[in-house]
């Protein structure tokens, strides 16, 4: 509602985005296709999406084309007389076989992507993610083979978005910005900071109800379930700030618990981590101290207690 | 004269009861009960639709303008429950009630009193469920799937569970009735493989219903005991597993999806041959495809759960099984197109809806195939891409088929022609606006908008506004539908002939329009060439 000019520019930019893809990692106005993402694995779903879409478009053109031809050629008003046949074995065999072949090719491609996703071994870093109503908790478990001591924090919707999103707040969502980027409902008070070019294993669980941790630029989402630890991995190739949201209905503020991942160079990350560890060791509690999470839930305690040993042993839940 | 007197007496004895209460509340007549189901379904369609209007109004632009997030979640939950259990399923049962006995030459349903009971449970079930919206603490807001632990936080859980139990009992009784009718009451000569495809589709659907409604009942009962009786089926802290619920639920849920589409396939398989004036292509393949889809529906449930962290082997199995469904579904689509090929086509309203069904349902099938690819599903899952997908198969699929069937058989029901002009107005408005409504939602999902959120980043603003405009106009278009029906039933002067459509085949077109209160008191003689699909020997 603020400025139509910016909108039009955004549309034009998005039109470019559809064809040049890789540039946009976060949602863009008028975005038409999936992001290619910025991680080692994220091109898999993007590629699969494009191939499957292409296959569907071709089949659609053929089938709907035949249908439209039938609708014009065989109109009663053009004097068409109905034929009597209602069977053609050859044709039926052909159109059963061809889809099977197409499906086998698609299945083969998808299986490759799935197997590489499932392999969380050889990671150089582990981050534990815990979903709560309605915020995320991040605990850094280890980095380059060394255990990290007491680096963990809550990450929740930033204050400006939170004020703006109140019912009839009168505040303009278009005004919530970081630099040029609109971050309404996609910004947090404290982002997850991770290094690039590092295979990071996420162990994901929840303290109360089921959530789902999703950053489109990383290429996947996985549910955060109380009492269960899921594992997934990423290896981010491009430094930047990547935004996502909770993707599993988790109560009234489900739409208001975004995820922000800030990928920085390894050197920057080492520096940041040292700062956090120092802050964690300082006796008075700072926000970085992993004090027992606040949200009222009886399930929280056993869930997190269970999570710790599993997190260090196996990847997938058994 | 004696003959005439006897005839009069005969009519009086077998006509509809003149007392309103006796006729409609105590009815055991398949036509009257069918009508009740259809009226109920249309009412639920508008109630559920009004919830959708609230959803689209809140999503019209970014920022919270109209309702609190919790109420928004109640609306999404109730919209789904009302549309699935109140609009789509009862509409099919109503069509089945009306048409199955007429199509197989039976005098009525096999179990008429149970038929009455299975309908009259429904209004009470829905009163119970909808009443929660007016209660302190509000209605269910955890989504129609009711995943624990979230659904256990709701104060109205018990109401919804009992409402679902009632709906399940109603559905199971309806299904038993349909199976009993089809297997026992066919006129001599109406062999199973001579039945109209619609009857076949209902026979198979009824078995699905009997198989899975008890599973749903079990799942929601476990929710109930978890919340009120201290059990821990789904509570990790007590040794349970929240994911177990999802397995049990979707073991019901996926066949349920086909319960809502197989009878639609049946309707379309009646309408397209009629207006193509050509027998359905590959009758046996059509029946076999429905049966294989029904079988496959039992082994694909976890494709709703690709993001819960299934083991690799399970993800691969469920992906392959899901992709297999594309084969029989493809066969059906190809056969519909082939039925039209070489026909003599006219485009009355039922045919328009049927053609739109084939195209738009296929688009929904395409996005379904994309969703089956697990790595891509890690991106699509729980986004608006999924919302677009299942609205394409349920609105332009199931609902369009129901509308097609309604226009197709309405003259048979009420004895008058509907207004073709307004029928077409309804069609063109629906087909345009439904695409304005749902097509942009594919883009929203691909761009990263999760489903079930009441507010969103401004990047999603354009398509949401387009979608909302489409939604309001699609909603408004359905008032035309209501108008056409009311006009046809109460005001239309144009008498419908017995065989309403030139190309219509099948027993239902051999009885007068409107169909008398009792038909086929004596079984009809079946002539194979009068059946919808011609000879099926080859």
């Amino acid at each position: 509602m603020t400025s139509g000019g910016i909108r039009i520019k955004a549309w034009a930019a998005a039109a470019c985005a559809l064809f040049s893809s890789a540039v946009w990692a976060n949602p863009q106005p008028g975005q038409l296709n999936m992001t290619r993402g910025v991680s080692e694995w994220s091109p898999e779903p993007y590629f699969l999406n494009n191939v499957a879409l292409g296959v569907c478009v071709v089949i659609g053109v053929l089938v709907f084309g035949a249908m439209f031809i039938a609708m014009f050629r065989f109109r009663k008003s053009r004097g068409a007389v109905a034929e009597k046949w209602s069977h053609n074995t050859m044709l039926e065999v052909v159109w059963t076989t061809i889809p099977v072949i197409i499906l086998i090719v698609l299945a083969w491609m998808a299986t490759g992507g799935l197997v590489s996703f499932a392999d969380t071994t050889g990671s150089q870093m582990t981050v534990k993610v815990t979903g709560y109503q309605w915020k995320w908790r991040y605990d850094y478990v280890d980095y380059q083979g060394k255990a990290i001591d007491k680096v963990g924090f809550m990450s929740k919707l930033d204050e400006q978005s939170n004020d703006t999103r109140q019912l009839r707040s009168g505040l303009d969502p278009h005004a919530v910005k970081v630099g040029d980027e609109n971050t309404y409902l996609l910004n947090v008070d404290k982002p997850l900071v991770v290094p690039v070019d590092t295979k990071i294993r996420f162990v994901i669980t929840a303290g109360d109800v089921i959530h789902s941790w999703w950053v489109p630029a990383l290429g996947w989402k996985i549910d955060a379930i109380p009492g269960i630890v899921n594992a997934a991995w990423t290896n981010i190739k491009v430094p930047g700030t990547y935004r996502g949201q909770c993707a599993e209905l988790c109560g009234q503020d489900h739409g208001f618990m975004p995820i922000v991942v800030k990928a920085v160079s390894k050197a920057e990350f080492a520096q940041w981590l040292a700062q956090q560890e120092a802050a964690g060791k300082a006796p008075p509690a700072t926000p970085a101290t992993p004090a027992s999470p606040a949200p009222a839930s009886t399930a929280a305690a056993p869930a997190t207690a269970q999570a710790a040993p599993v997190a260090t042993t196996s990847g997938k839940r058994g | 004269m004696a003959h005439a007197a006897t005839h009069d007496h005969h009519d009086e004895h077998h006509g509809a009861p003149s007392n309103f209460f006796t006729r409609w509340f105590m009815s055991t007549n398949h036509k009257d009960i069918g009508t009740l189901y259809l009226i109920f379904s249309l009412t639920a369609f508008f109630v559920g639709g009004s919830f959708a209007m609230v959803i689209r109004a809140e999503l019209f632009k970014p920022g919270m303008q109209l309702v609190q997030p919790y109420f928004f979640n109640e609306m999404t939950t109730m919209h789904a429950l009302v549309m699935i259990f109140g609009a789509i399923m009862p509409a099919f049962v109503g069509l089945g009630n009306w048409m199955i006995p007429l199509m197989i030459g039976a005098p009525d349903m096999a179990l008429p009193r149970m038929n009455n009971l299975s309908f009259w449970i429904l209004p009470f079930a829905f009163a119970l469920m909808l009443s929660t919206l007016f209660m302190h603490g509000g209605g269910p807001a955890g989504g129609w799937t009711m995943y624990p632990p979230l659904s256990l936080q709701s104060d109205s859980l018990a109401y919804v569970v009992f409402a679902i139990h009632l709906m399940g009992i109603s559905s199971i009784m309806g299904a038993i009735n349909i199976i009993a009718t089809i297997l026992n009451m066919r006129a001599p000569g109406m062999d199973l493989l001579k039945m109209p495809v619609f009857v076949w589709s209902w026979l198979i659907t009824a078995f699905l219903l009997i198989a899975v409604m008890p599973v749903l009942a079990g799942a929601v009962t476990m929710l109930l005991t978890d919340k009120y009786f201290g059990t821990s089926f789904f509570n990790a802290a007590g040794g349970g597993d929240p994911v177990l619920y999802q397995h049990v639920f979707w073991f019901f849920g996926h066949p349920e999806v086909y319960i809502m589409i197989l009878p639609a396939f049946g309707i379309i398989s009646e309408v397209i041959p009629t207006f193509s004036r050509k027998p359905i292509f590959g009758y046996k393949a059509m029946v076999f495809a429905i049966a294989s889809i029904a079988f496959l529906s039992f082994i694909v449930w976890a494709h709703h759960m690709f993001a819960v962290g299934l083991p690799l082997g399970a993800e691969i199995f469920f992906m392959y099984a899901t992709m297999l469904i594309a084969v029989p579904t493809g066969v059906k689509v190809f056969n519909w197109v082939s039925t039209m090929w070489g026909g003599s086509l006219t485009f009355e309203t039922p045919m328009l809806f049927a053609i739109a069904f084939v195209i738009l349902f296929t688009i929904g099938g395409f996005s379904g195939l994309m969703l089956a690819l697990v790595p891509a599903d890690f991106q699509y899952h729980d986004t608006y891409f999924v919302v677009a997908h299942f609205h394409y198969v349920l609105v332009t699929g199931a609902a369009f088929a129901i509308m097609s069937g309604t226009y197709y058989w309405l003259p048979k029901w009420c004895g008058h022609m509907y207004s073709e002009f307004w029928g077409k107005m309804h069609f063109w408005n629906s087909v345009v606006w439904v695409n304005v409504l749902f097509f942009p939602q594919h883009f929203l999902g691909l761009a990263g908008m999760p489903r079930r959120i009441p507010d969103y980043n401004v990047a999603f603003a354009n398509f949401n506004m387009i979608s909302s405009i489409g939604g309001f106009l699609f909603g408004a278009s359905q008032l035309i539908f209501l108008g056409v029906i009311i006009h046809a039933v109460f005001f239309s002067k144009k008498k419908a002939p017995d065989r309403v459509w030139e190309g219509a085949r099948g027993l239902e077109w051999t009885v007068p329009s409107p169909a008398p209160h009792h038909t086929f008191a004596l079984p009809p003689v079946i002539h194979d060439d009068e059946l919808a699909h011609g000879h099926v020997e080859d």
Side-chain angles (χ1 to χ4, degrees):
Chain A
M1 276 51 353
T2 43
S3 54
I6 291 174
R7 288 286 176 78
I8 290 160
K9 258 200 258 167
W11 273 90
C16 297
L18 180 66
F19 300 105
S20 66
S21 69
V23 191
W24 308 100
N26 294 322
Q28 299 299 317
Q31 183 180 334
L32 297 178
N33 201 1
M34 187 189 286
T35 174
R36 190 170 194 280
V38 295
S39 76
E40 184 186 322
W41 188 80
S42 67
E44 292 275 359
Y46 174 69
F47 182 60
L48 210 49
N49 166 68
N50 290 358
V51 172
L53 180 63
V55 168
C56 291
V57 168
V58 171
I59 298 173
V61 167
L62 292 176
V63 174
F64 303 152
M67 216 170 156
F68 279 106
I69 292 171
M71 282 192 272
F72 287 100
R73 260 181 66 183
F74 304 110
R75 296 178 90 94
K76 197 187 178 210
S77 56
R78 293 186 61 203
V81 179
E83 292 163 27
K84 299 279 180 223
W85 49 268
S86 63
H87 204 68
N88 185 329
T89 311
M90 187 60 204
L91 212 53
E92 292 183 74
V93 169
V94 167
W95 68 44
T96 311
T97 315
I98 292 179
V100 171
I101 295 169
I102 295 173
L103 290 175
I104 289 173
V105 174
L106 282 176
W108 178 73
M109 289 169 55
T111 306
L114 196 52
V115 170
S116 58
F117 175 78
D119 180 15
T120 57
T121 57
S123 63
Q124 297 139 292
M125 178 174 173
T126 304
V127 178
K128 181 179 158 217
V129 178
T130 314
Y132 294 100
Q133 285 178 318
W134 292 278
K135 49 186 164 293
W136 295 95
R137 178 173 179 85
Y138 301 112
D139 290 291
Y140 290 73
V141 179
D142 59 54
Y143 178 53
Q144 292 183 332
K146 278 182 295 197
I148 299 170
D149 191 28
K150 291 186 179 169
V151 177
F153 50 85
M154 287 287 183
S155 176
K156 64 178 195 329
L157 185 67
D158 70 302
E159 221 163 289
Q160 199 187 358
S161 291
N162 196 37
D163 292 342
T164 309
R165 67 103 179 174
Q166 299 303 322
L167 185 59
R168 292 185 277 270
S169 67
L171 300 170
D172 183 4
H174 293 88
V176 183
K177 284 188 166 191
V178 173
D180 269 353
E181 189 188 11
N182 184 290
T183 57
Y184 179 55
L185 302 182
L186 290 180
N187 202 8
V188 293
D189 55 352
K190 204 159 186 248
L192 174 71
V193 180
V194 294
V196 294
D197 295 321
T198 305
K199 183 164 180 178
I200 305 163
R201 186 168 66 123
F202 291 95
V203 287
I204 299 176
T205 186
D208 35 43
V209 301
I210 303 175
H211 304 268
S212 191
W213 200 79
W214 180 36
V215 179
L218 305 190
W220 48 264
K221 67 175 67 64
I222 199 156
D223 288 358
I225 305 170
I228 286 170
V229 180
N230 277 324
W233 66 276
T234 194
N235 190 343
I236 301 172
K237 293 295 172 192
V238 188
T241 304
Y242 305 113
R243 302 174 190 281
Q245 287 175 273
C246 175
E248 178 66 54
L249 179 61
C250 57
Q252 62 171 11
D253 286 350
H254 162 56
F256 309 108
M257 51 182 289
I259 296 152
V260 179
V261 174
K262 198 174 158 202
V264 297
S265 70
K266 285 183 176 179
E268 259 179 277
F269 179 72
Q271 201 183 356
W272 178 87
L273 189 63
Q275 264 174 20
Q276 298 294 313
E277 281 186 303
K281 287 191 181 99
T286 64
T289 311
S292 66
S297 165
T298 47
T304 40
Q306 265 183 11
V310 184
T312 46
T313 51
S314 91
K316 284 293 195 184
R317 77 182 194 86
Chain B
M1 290 309 285
H3 175 78
T6 320
H7 190 78
D8 284 346
H9 176 72
H10 184 90
D11 272 358
E12 196 187 332
H13 188 72
H14 285 286
S18 51
N19 180 305
F20 181 86
F21 183 85
T22 314
R23 172 163 186 191
W24 294 107
F25 288 81
M26 298 166 70
S27 177
T28 54
N29 180 288
H30 76 101
K31 300 184 186 77
D32 283 354
I33 293 173
T35 304
L36 289 172
Y37 265 111
L38 290 169
I39 293 170
F40 179 86
S41 147
L42 192 64
T43 313
F45 181 59
F46 282 100
V47 172
S50 66
F51 296 160
M53 294 301 106
V54 175
I55 295 169
R56 283 317 323 170
E58 180 54 62
L59 292 173
F60 187 69
K61 57 180 191 171
M64 300 296 295
Q65 288 90 19
L66 299 171
V67 296
Q68 289 290 358
Y70 189 84
F71 187 75
F72 182 91
N73 292 348
E74 287 177 70
M75 288 292 100
T76 55
T77 305
M78 283 297 201
H79 167 71
L81 288 169
V82 169
M83 286 303 198
I84 291 168
F85 294 104
I88 303 285
M89 290 172 69
F92 284 135
V93 181
L95 292 170
N97 244 297
W98 245 106
M99 301 318 299
I100 288 172
L102 287 181
M103 286 175 144
I104 61 172
D108 205 306
M109 297 295 278
L111 307 158
R113 288 196 177 83
M114 197 166 85
N115 205 10
N116 175 296
L117 181 59
S118 62
F119 171 77
W120 278 106
I121 284 175
L122 280 182
F124 295 95
F126 275 82
L128 193 62
M129 192 176 79
L130 291 171
S131 68
T132 60
L133 284 176
F134 305 99
M135 287 176 187
H136 184 73
W144 81 280
T145 52
M146 296 177 290
Y147 283 2
L150 180 63
S151 61
L152 302 177
Q153 294 180 345
S154 159
D155 290 335
S156 53
L157 181 74
Y159 285 83
V160 182
V161 168
F162 286 125
I164 286 174
H165 281 157
L166 289 174
M167 292 169 205
I169 291 168
S170 160
S171 292
I172 290 170
M173 288 199 296
I176 290 172
N177 212 343
I178 282 170
I179 292 174
T181 306
I182 296 174
L183 294 186
N184 296 308
M185 312 251 313
R186 279 170 291 127
M190 176 60 78
D191 302 342
L192 281 177
L193 276 173
K194 286 181 186 170
M195 296 194 308
V197 181
F198 177 68
V199 179
W200 258 112
S201 70
W202 240 124
L203 180 64
I204 293 166
T205 303
F207 278 104
L208 288 184
L209 274 168
I210 291 177
V212 302
M213 291 312 285
V215 178
L216 174 67
V220 296
T221 305
M222 287 191 272
L223 286 181
L224 194 73
T225 60
D226 265 13
K227 183 164 170 77
Y228 292 105
F229 303 104
T231 57
S232 295
F233 292 111
F234 310 128
N235 178 7
D241 179 358
V243 178
L244 172 66
Y245 174 84
Q246 299 185 21
H247 282 291
V248 179
F249 180 86
W250 286 114
F251 187 82
F252 146 79
H254 203 78
E256 167 68 18
V257 172
Y258 293 146
I259 286 164
M260 291 189 284
I261 203 64
L262 296 185
F265 289 167
I267 295 169
I268 300 304
S269 303
E270 301 301 320
V271 171
I272 288 184
T274 294
F275 295 95
S276 303
R277 292 166 182 76
K278 189 164 157 282
I280 187 137
F281 183 92
Y283 169 82
K284 281 180 183 165
M286 288 303 244
V287 172
F288 188 71
I290 295 178
S292 9
I293 293 171
F295 167 74
L296 288 171
S297 75
F298 284 106
I299 55 166
V300 296
W301 75 88
H303 70 211
H304 298 268
M305 304 161 56
F306 282 148
V308 301
L310 297 171
L312 178 62
E315 304 222 274
I316 289 175
F317 170 78
F318 285 108
M319 172 168 71
Y320 293 173
T322 304
M323 292 173 78
L324 266 186
I325 295 175
V327 178
T329 315
V331 166
K332 297 203 73 72
V333 172
F334 298 142
N335 284 12
W336 286 321
V337 176
S338 309
T339 304
M340 291 167 65
W341 195 272
S344 172
L345 277 65
T346 52
F347 300 90
E348 288 86 348
T349 310
M351 183 62 163
L352 290 175
F353 272 104
I355 290 171
F357 169 95
V358 174
I359 295 175
L360 299 174
F361 172 80
T362 303
I363 291 177
F366 285 151
S367 54
L369 175 66
M370 295 167 78
L371 282 159
L373 305 169
V374 183
D377 185 71
F378 287 152
Q379 288 279 33
Y380 304 139
H381 185 82
D382 260 321
T383 67
Y384 261 82
F385 191 82
V386 178
V387 176
H389 159 71
F390 66 71
H391 281 97
Y392 264 85
V393 289
L394 285 177
V395 179
T396 60
F400 269 31
I402 291 164
M403 288 169 190
S404 175
T406 304
Y407 284 110
Y408 184 57
W409 286 308
L410 185 60
K412 178 58 66 187
W413 300 336
C414 70
H416 298 283
M417 295 306 287
Y418 61 85
S419 159
E420 197 61 55
F421 173 81
W422 286 103
K424 284 182 174 155
M425 282 293 282
H426 171 226
F427 169 75
W428 285 110
N429 273 289
S430 296
V431 81
V432 168
W433 300 123
V434 84
N435 282 291
V436 174
L437 165 57
F438 293 121
F439 207 80
Q441 296 184 358
H442 291 111
F443 304 135
L444 287 171
L446 290 169
M449 179 168 163
R451 59 189 284 212
R452 293 166 162 167
I453 58 173
D455 198 5
Y456 49 81
N457 181 264
V458 298
F460 307 123
N462 298 310
F463 285 133
N464 266 299
M465 190 177 282
I466 294 169
S467 180
S468 285
I469 291 168
F472 301 143
L473 291 169
F474 178 72
S477 308
Q478 303 320 309
L479 297 172
I480 306 176
F481 186 40
L482 186 64
V484 173
I485 293 172
I486 290 173
H487 169 261
V489 174
F490 296 108
F491 303 105
S492 174
K493 297 273 184 292
K494 204 174 157 203
K495 229 16 224 106
D498 294 358
R499 188 177 300 277
V500 177
W501 313 106
E502 186 192 31
R505 293 288 177 272
L507 292 178
E508 76 261 43
W509 307 107
T510 62
V511 303
S513 300
H517 200 59
H518 292 288
T519 39
F520 300 130
L522 291 173
V525 178
I526 311 286
H527 303 286
D528 284 3
D529 51 333
E530 277 177 15
L531 298 179
H533 36 76
H535 294 281
V536 292
E537 282 73 34
D538 47 337

